[in-house]
PDB file of all heavy atoms in Angstrom:
ATOM      1  N   SER A1337       0.833  -1.186   0.000  1.00 29.00           N
ATOM      2  CA  SER A1337       0.000   0.000   0.000  1.00 29.00           C
ATOM      3  C   SER A1337       0.870   1.240   0.000  1.00 29.00           C
ATOM      4  O   SER A1337       2.030   1.199   0.386  1.00 29.00           O
ATOM      5  CB  SER A1337      -0.923   0.007   1.221  1.00 29.00           C
ATOM      6  OG  SER A1337      -0.171  -0.014   2.399  1.00 29.00           O
ATOM      7  N   CYS A1338       0.299   2.358  -0.448  1.00 31.00           N
ATOM      8  CA  CYS A1338       1.034   3.604  -0.576  1.00 31.00           C
ATOM      9  C   CYS A1338       1.646   4.025   0.748  1.00 31.00           C
ATOM     10  O   CYS A1338       0.972   4.105   1.761  1.00 31.00           O
ATOM     11  CB  CYS A1338       0.102   4.701  -1.087  1.00 31.00           C
ATOM     12  SG  CYS A1338       0.912   6.277  -1.281  1.00 31.00           S
ATOM     13  N   MET A1339       2.928   4.311   0.752  1.00 32.00           N
ATOM     14  CA  MET A1339       3.644   4.649   1.981  1.00 32.00           C
ATOM     15  C   MET A1339       3.710   6.152   2.224  1.00 32.00           C
ATOM     16  O   MET A1339       4.275   6.596   3.208  1.00 32.00           O
ATOM     17  CB  MET A1339       5.053   4.070   1.934  1.00 32.00           C
ATOM     18  CG  MET A1339       5.085   2.558   1.907  1.00 32.00           C
ATOM     19  SD  MET A1339       6.746   1.885   1.794  1.00 32.00           S
ATOM     20  CE  MET A1339       7.424   2.405   3.369  1.00 32.00           C
ATOM     21  N   LEU A1340       3.161   6.945   1.307  1.00 31.00           N
ATOM     22  CA  LEU A1340       3.231   8.388   1.471  1.00 31.00           C
ATOM     23  C   LEU A1340       1.841   8.943   1.732  1.00 31.00           C
ATOM     24  O   LEU A1340       1.073   9.184   0.817  1.00 31.00           O
ATOM     25  CB  LEU A1340       3.802   9.043   0.205  1.00 31.00           C
ATOM     26  CG  LEU A1340       5.221   8.621  -0.167  1.00 31.00           C
ATOM     27  CD1 LEU A1340       5.634   9.301  -1.450  1.00 31.00           C
ATOM     28  CD2 LEU A1340       6.175   8.967   0.953  1.00 31.00           C
ATOM     29  N   PRO A1341       1.468   9.141   3.000  1.00 33.00           N
ATOM     30  CA  PRO A1341       0.133   9.627   3.310  1.00 33.00           C
ATOM     31  C   PRO A1341      -0.236  10.911   2.591  1.00 33.00           C
ATOM     32  O   PRO A1341      -1.377  11.107   2.241  1.00 33.00           O
ATOM     33  CB  PRO A1341       0.189   9.836   4.826  1.00 33.00           C
ATOM     34  CG  PRO A1341       1.215   8.870   5.290  1.00 33.00           C
ATOM     35  CD  PRO A1341       2.238   8.825   4.195  1.00 33.00           C
ATOM     36  N   TYR A1342       0.736  11.793   2.335  1.00 30.00           N
ATOM     37  CA  TYR A1342       0.378  13.047   1.689  1.00 30.00           C
ATOM     38  C   TYR A1342      -0.025  12.830   0.243  1.00 30.00           C
ATOM     39  O   TYR A1342      -0.569  13.708  -0.401  1.00 30.00           O
ATOM     40  CB  TYR A1342       1.521  14.047   1.794  1.00 30.00           C
ATOM     41  CG  TYR A1342       2.606  13.926   0.753  1.00 30.00           C
ATOM     42  CD1 TYR A1342       2.664  14.804  -0.314  1.00 30.00           C
ATOM     43  CD2 TYR A1342       3.579  12.934   0.848  1.00 30.00           C
ATOM     44  CE1 TYR A1342       3.667  14.716  -1.255  1.00 30.00           C
ATOM     45  CE2 TYR A1342       4.580  12.844  -0.082  1.00 30.00           C
ATOM     46  CZ  TYR A1342       4.627  13.734  -1.124  1.00 30.00           C
ATOM     47  OH  TYR A1342       5.623  13.641  -2.051  1.00 30.00           O
ATOM     48  N   MET A1343       0.175  11.617  -0.280  1.00 34.00           N
ATOM     49  CA  MET A1343      -0.256  11.305  -1.630  1.00 34.00           C
ATOM     50  C   MET A1343      -1.688  10.774  -1.670  1.00 34.00           C
ATOM     51  O   MET A1343      -2.211  10.492  -2.723  1.00 34.00           O
ATOM     52  CB  MET A1343       0.668  10.252  -2.238  1.00 34.00           C
ATOM     53  CG  MET A1343       2.105  10.715  -2.418  1.00 34.00           C
ATOM     54  SD  MET A1343       2.224  11.985  -3.662  1.00 34.00           S
ATOM     55  CE  MET A1343       3.996  12.051  -3.841  1.00 34.00           C
ATOM     56  N   GLU A1344      -2.293  10.592  -0.504  1.00 33.00           N
ATOM     57  CA  GLU A1344      -3.639  10.030  -0.463  1.00 33.00           C
ATOM     58  C   GLU A1344      -4.652  11.096  -0.853  1.00 33.00           C
ATOM     59  O   GLU A1344      -5.492  11.522  -0.060  1.00 33.00           O
ATOM     60  CB  GLU A1344      -3.927   9.492   0.946  1.00 33.00           C
ATOM     61  CG  GLU A1344      -3.058   8.318   1.347  1.00 33.00           C
ATOM     62  CD  GLU A1344      -3.475   7.044   0.658  1.00 33.00           C
ATOM     63  OE1 GLU A1344      -4.565   7.019   0.053  1.00 33.00           O
ATOM     64  OE2 GLU A1344      -2.732   6.075   0.717  1.00 33.00           O
ATOM     65  N   ALA A1345      -4.570  11.556  -2.111  1.00 36.00           N
ATOM     66  CA  ALA A1345      -5.467  12.608  -2.566  1.00 36.00           C
ATOM     67  C   ALA A1345      -6.861  12.065  -2.836  1.00 36.00           C
ATOM     68  O   ALA A1345      -7.029  10.911  -3.213  1.00 36.00           O
ATOM     69  CB  ALA A1345      -4.900  13.232  -3.842  1.00 36.00           C
ATOM     70  N   MET A1346      -7.873  12.890  -2.616  1.00 29.00           N
ATOM     71  CA  MET A1346      -9.244  12.498  -2.898  1.00 29.00           C
ATOM     72  C   MET A1346      -9.506  12.707  -4.389  1.00 29.00           C
ATOM     73  O   MET A1346      -8.719  13.326  -5.106  1.00 29.00           O
ATOM     74  CB  MET A1346     -10.219  13.330  -2.071  1.00 29.00           C
ATOM     75  CG  MET A1346      -9.933  13.296  -0.573  1.00 29.00           C
ATOM     76  SD  MET A1346      -9.823  11.615   0.108  1.00 29.00           S
ATOM     77  CE  MET A1346     -11.471  11.040  -0.259  1.00 29.00           C
ATOM     78  N   SER A1347     -10.662  12.241  -4.843  1.00 32.00           N
ATOM     79  CA  SER A1347     -10.943  12.270  -6.274  1.00 32.00           C
ATOM     80  C   SER A1347     -11.415  13.633  -6.763  1.00 32.00           C
ATOM     81  O   SER A1347     -11.522  13.858  -7.946  1.00 32.00           O
ATOM     82  CB  SER A1347     -12.014  11.222  -6.609  1.00 32.00           C
ATOM     83  OG  SER A1347     -13.194  11.479  -5.853  1.00 32.00           O
ATOM     84  N   THR A1348     -11.728  14.555  -5.833  1.00 36.00           N
ATOM     85  CA  THR A1348     -12.197  15.860  -6.245  1.00 36.00           C
ATOM     86  C   THR A1348     -11.113  16.595  -7.024  1.00 36.00           C
ATOM     87  O   THR A1348     -10.006  16.738  -6.539  1.00 36.00           O
ATOM     88  CB  THR A1348     -12.579  16.711  -5.009  1.00 36.00           C
ATOM     89  OG1 THR A1348     -13.549  15.997  -4.258  1.00 36.00           O
ATOM     90  CG2 THR A1348     -13.147  18.050  -5.437  1.00 36.00           C
ATOM     91  N   PRO A1349     -11.403  17.061  -8.244  1.00 37.00           N
ATOM     92  CA  PRO A1349     -10.385  17.762  -9.024  1.00 37.00           C
ATOM     93  C   PRO A1349     -10.012  19.082  -8.380  1.00 37.00           C
ATOM     94  O   PRO A1349     -10.814  19.712  -7.707  1.00 37.00           O
ATOM     95  CB  PRO A1349     -11.076  17.984 -10.377  1.00 37.00           C
ATOM     96  CG  PRO A1349     -12.526  17.980 -10.056  1.00 37.00           C
ATOM     97  CD  PRO A1349     -12.689  16.987  -8.945  1.00 37.00           C
ATOM     98  N   LEU A1350      -8.788  19.513  -8.604  1.00 37.00           N
ATOM     99  CA  LEU A1350      -8.309  20.757  -8.040  1.00 37.00           C
ATOM    100  C   LEU A1350      -8.896  21.934  -8.809  1.00 37.00           C
ATOM    101  O   LEU A1350      -8.773  22.041 -10.015  1.00 37.00           O
ATOM    102  CB  LEU A1350      -6.786  20.810  -8.124  1.00 37.00           C
ATOM    103  CG  LEU A1350      -6.107  22.022  -7.501  1.00 37.00           C
ATOM    104  CD1 LEU A1350      -6.329  22.032  -6.003  1.00 37.00           C
ATOM    105  CD2 LEU A1350      -4.621  22.004  -7.822  1.00 37.00           C
ATOM    106  N   ALA A1351      -9.581  22.811  -8.086  1.00 38.00           N
ATOM    107  CA  ALA A1351     -10.179  23.973  -8.718  1.00 38.00           C
ATOM    108  C   ALA A1351      -9.106  24.997  -9.035  1.00 38.00           C
ATOM    109  O   ALA A1351      -7.968  24.891  -8.598  1.00 38.00           O
ATOM    110  CB  ALA A1351     -11.230  24.577  -7.794  1.00 38.00           C
ATOM    111  N   LYS A1352      -9.467  26.008  -9.769  1.00 38.00           N
ATOM    112  CA  LYS A1352      -8.511  27.061 -10.101  1.00 38.00           C
ATOM    113  C   LYS A1352      -7.968  27.680  -8.829  1.00 38.00           C
ATOM    114  O   LYS A1352      -8.710  28.081  -7.947  1.00 38.00           O
ATOM    115  CB  LYS A1352      -9.198  28.134 -10.957  1.00 38.00           C
ATOM    116  CG  LYS A1352      -8.245  29.242 -11.384  1.00 38.00           C
ATOM    117  CD  LYS A1352      -8.968  30.253 -12.245  1.00 38.00           C
ATOM    118  CE  LYS A1352      -8.020  31.369 -12.653  1.00 38.00           C
ATOM    119  NZ  LYS A1352      -8.690  32.373 -13.499  1.00 38.00           N
ATOM    120  N   VAL A1353      -6.653  27.754  -8.731  1.00 40.00           N
ATOM    121  CA  VAL A1353      -6.014  28.307  -7.549  1.00 40.00           C
ATOM    122  C   VAL A1353      -6.184  29.818  -7.557  1.00 40.00           C
ATOM    123  O   VAL A1353      -5.894  30.489  -8.527  1.00 40.00           O
ATOM    124  CB  VAL A1353      -4.518  27.940  -7.517  1.00 40.00           C
ATOM    125  CG1 VAL A1353      -3.858  28.586  -6.306  1.00 40.00           C
ATOM    126  CG2 VAL A1353      -4.347  26.432  -7.478  1.00 40.00           C
ATOM    127  N   GLY A1354      -6.629  30.376  -6.457  1.00 37.00           N
ATOM    128  CA  GLY A1354      -6.816  31.816  -6.381  1.00 37.00           C
ATOM    129  C   GLY A1354      -7.037  32.253  -4.955  1.00 37.00           C
ATOM    130  O   GLY A1354      -7.067  31.437  -4.043  1.00 37.00           O
ATOM    131  N   SER A1355      -7.198  33.523  -4.752  1.00 38.00           N
ATOM    132  CA  SER A1355      -7.387  34.042  -3.406  1.00 38.00           C
ATOM    133  C   SER A1355      -8.793  33.738  -2.907  1.00 38.00           C
ATOM    134  O   SER A1355      -9.750  33.682  -3.672  1.00 38.00           O
ATOM    135  CB  SER A1355      -7.155  35.551  -3.393  1.00 38.00           C
ATOM    136  OG  SER A1355      -8.083  36.199  -4.246  1.00 38.00           O
ATOM    137  N   MET A1356      -8.916  33.543  -1.605  1.00 41.00           N
ATOM    138  CA  MET A1356     -10.212  33.261  -0.997  1.00 41.00           C
ATOM    139  C   MET A1356     -10.877  34.572  -0.610  1.00 41.00           C
ATOM    140  O   MET A1356     -10.255  35.469  -0.060  1.00 41.00           O
ATOM    141  CB  MET A1356     -10.021  32.384   0.246  1.00 41.00           C
ATOM    142  CG  MET A1356      -9.569  30.971  -0.063  1.00 41.00           C
ATOM    143  SD  MET A1356     -10.852  30.058  -0.930  1.00 41.00           S
ATOM    144  CE  MET A1356     -12.088  29.971   0.359  1.00 41.00           C
ATOM    145  N   SER A1357     -12.155  34.704  -0.904  1.00 49.00           N
ATOM    146  CA  SER A1357     -12.882  35.918  -0.561  1.00 49.00           C
ATOM    147  C   SER A1357     -13.417  35.862   0.860  1.00 49.00           C
ATOM    148  O   SER A1357     -13.904  36.853   1.380  1.00 49.00           O
ATOM    149  CB  SER A1357     -14.043  36.127  -1.546  1.00 49.00           C
ATOM    150  OG  SER A1357     -14.935  35.008  -1.490  1.00 49.00           O
ATOM    151  N   GLU A1358     -13.363  34.696   1.482  1.00 85.00           N
ATOM    152  CA  GLU A1358     -13.842  34.561   2.853  1.00 85.00           C
ATOM    153  C   GLU A1358     -12.898  33.673   3.644  1.00 85.00           C
ATOM    154  O   GLU A1358     -12.046  32.990   3.086  1.00 85.00           O
ATOM    155  CB  GLU A1358     -15.251  33.961   2.867  1.00 85.00           C
ATOM    156  CG  GLU A1358     -15.353  32.598   2.206  1.00 85.00           C
ATOM    157  CD  GLU A1358     -16.779  32.073   2.203  1.00 85.00           C
ATOM    158  OE1 GLU A1358     -17.722  32.891   2.169  1.00 85.00           O
ATOM    159  OE2 GLU A1358     -16.939  30.836   2.229  1.00 85.00           O
ATOM    160  N   ALA A1359     -13.037  33.725   4.962  1.00 93.00           N
ATOM    161  CA  ALA A1359     -12.140  32.974   5.838  1.00 93.00           C
ATOM    162  C   ALA A1359     -12.271  31.480   5.601  1.00 93.00           C
ATOM    163  O   ALA A1359     -13.365  30.968   5.388  1.00 93.00           O
ATOM    164  CB  ALA A1359     -12.465  33.304   7.291  1.00 93.00           C
ATOM    165  N   PRO A1360     -11.150  30.763   5.649  1.00 96.00           N
ATOM    166  CA  PRO A1360     -11.204  29.300   5.476  1.00 96.00           C
ATOM    167  C   PRO A1360     -11.865  28.646   6.681  1.00 96.00           C
ATOM    168  O   PRO A1360     -11.796  29.153   7.799  1.00 96.00           O
ATOM    169  CB  PRO A1360      -9.723  28.916   5.386  1.00 96.00           C
ATOM    170  CG  PRO A1360      -9.009  29.983   6.145  1.00 96.00           C
ATOM    171  CD  PRO A1360      -9.775  31.243   5.875  1.00 96.00           C
ATOM    172  N   LYS A1361     -12.503  27.523   6.448  1.00 97.00           N
ATOM    173  CA  LYS A1361     -13.084  26.731   7.532  1.00 97.00           C
ATOM    174  C   LYS A1361     -12.289  25.438   7.637  1.00 97.00           C
ATOM    175  O   LYS A1361     -12.164  24.706   6.660  1.00 97.00           O
ATOM    176  CB  LYS A1361     -14.559  26.438   7.260  1.00 97.00           C
ATOM    177  CG  LYS A1361     -15.441  27.682   7.248  1.00 97.00           C
ATOM    178  CD  LYS A1361     -16.891  27.345   6.952  1.00 97.00           C
ATOM    179  CE  LYS A1361     -17.753  28.601   6.975  1.00 97.00           C
ATOM    180  NZ  LYS A1361     -19.182  28.302   6.676  1.00 97.00           N
ATOM    181  N   ARG A1362     -11.771  25.179   8.834  1.00 98.00           N
ATOM    182  CA  ARG A1362     -10.882  24.035   9.030  1.00 98.00           C
ATOM    183  C   ARG A1362     -11.505  23.030   9.994  1.00 98.00           C
ATOM    184  O   ARG A1362     -12.277  23.387  10.891  1.00 98.00           O
ATOM    185  CB  ARG A1362      -9.526  24.509   9.556  1.00 98.00           C
ATOM    186  CG  ARG A1362      -8.749  25.387   8.591  1.00 98.00           C
ATOM    187  CD  ARG A1362      -7.473  25.901   9.229  1.00 98.00           C
ATOM    188  NE  ARG A1362      -7.774  26.880  10.264  1.00 98.00           N
ATOM    189  CZ  ARG A1362      -7.714  28.204  10.089  1.00 98.00           C
ATOM    190  NH1 ARG A1362      -7.385  28.698   8.899  1.00 98.00           N
ATOM    191  NH2 ARG A1362      -7.977  29.021  11.081  1.00 98.00           N
ATOM    192  N   LEU A1363     -11.090  21.755   9.821  1.00 98.00           N
ATOM    193  CA  LEU A1363     -11.638  20.669  10.627  1.00 98.00           C
ATOM    194  C   LEU A1363     -10.514  19.789  11.141  1.00 98.00           C
ATOM    195  O   LEU A1363      -9.668  19.326  10.371  1.00 98.00           O
ATOM    196  CB  LEU A1363     -12.601  19.832   9.768  1.00 98.00           C
ATOM    197  CG  LEU A1363     -13.420  18.751  10.458  1.00 98.00           C
ATOM    198  CD1 LEU A1363     -14.353  19.334  11.504  1.00 98.00           C
ATOM    199  CD2 LEU A1363     -14.240  17.985   9.408  1.00 98.00           C
ATOM    200  N   CYS A1364     -10.473  19.562  12.466  1.00 98.00           N
ATOM    201  CA  CYS A1364      -9.421  18.747  13.080  1.00 98.00           C
ATOM    202  C   CYS A1364     -10.029  17.715  14.031  1.00 98.00           C
ATOM    203  O   CYS A1364     -11.039  17.983  14.697  1.00 98.00           O
ATOM    204  CB  CYS A1364      -8.449  19.608  13.882  1.00 98.00           C
ATOM    205  SG  CYS A1364      -7.407  20.686  12.921  1.00 98.00           S
ATOM    206  N   PHE A1365      -9.378  16.564  14.103  1.00 98.00           N
ATOM    207  CA  PHE A1365      -9.778  15.516  15.041  1.00 98.00           C
ATOM    208  C   PHE A1365      -8.544  15.030  15.791  1.00 98.00           C
ATOM    209  O   PHE A1365      -7.518  14.726  15.183  1.00 98.00           O
ATOM    210  CB  PHE A1365     -10.425  14.343  14.298  1.00 98.00           C
ATOM    211  CG  PHE A1365     -11.709  14.706  13.595  1.00 98.00           C
ATOM    212  CD1 PHE A1365     -11.701  15.106  12.263  1.00 98.00           C
ATOM    213  CD2 PHE A1365     -12.925  14.650  14.274  1.00 98.00           C
ATOM    214  CE1 PHE A1365     -12.883  15.441  11.622  1.00 98.00           C
ATOM    215  CE2 PHE A1365     -14.110  14.989  13.631  1.00 98.00           C
ATOM    216  CZ  PHE A1365     -14.091  15.387  12.309  1.00 98.00           C
ATOM    217  N   VAL A1366      -8.649  14.955  17.115  1.00 98.00           N
ATOM    218  CA  VAL A1366      -7.544  14.525  17.972  1.00 98.00           C
ATOM    219  C   VAL A1366      -8.042  13.376  18.853  1.00 98.00           C
ATOM    220  O   VAL A1366      -9.045  13.514  19.553  1.00 98.00           O
ATOM    221  CB  VAL A1366      -7.034  15.681  18.854  1.00 98.00           C
ATOM    222  CG1 VAL A1366      -5.893  15.196  19.742  1.00 98.00           C
ATOM    223  CG2 VAL A1366      -6.594  16.856  17.991  1.00 98.00           C
TER     224      VAL A1366
END
């Protein structure tokens, strides 16, 4: 199995990179 967790990309295509007009919303689990 893939040994590089940062390569575990989801299937959602990357949208055009640009500035955000609103604050980002982040989600964390500990």
Side-chain angles (χ1 to χ4, degrees):
S1337 60
C1338 180
M1339 296 178 66
L1340 299 178
Y1342 84 103
M1343 296 292 191
E1344 295 285 348
M1346 306 307 299
S1347 58
T1348 304
L1350 183 65
K1352 182 179 179 180
V1353 177
S1355 61
M1356 291 293 294
S1357 60
E1358 59 182 30
K1361 295 179 179 180
R1362 296 176 290 261
L1363 188 62
C1364 291
F1365 296 93
V1366 179

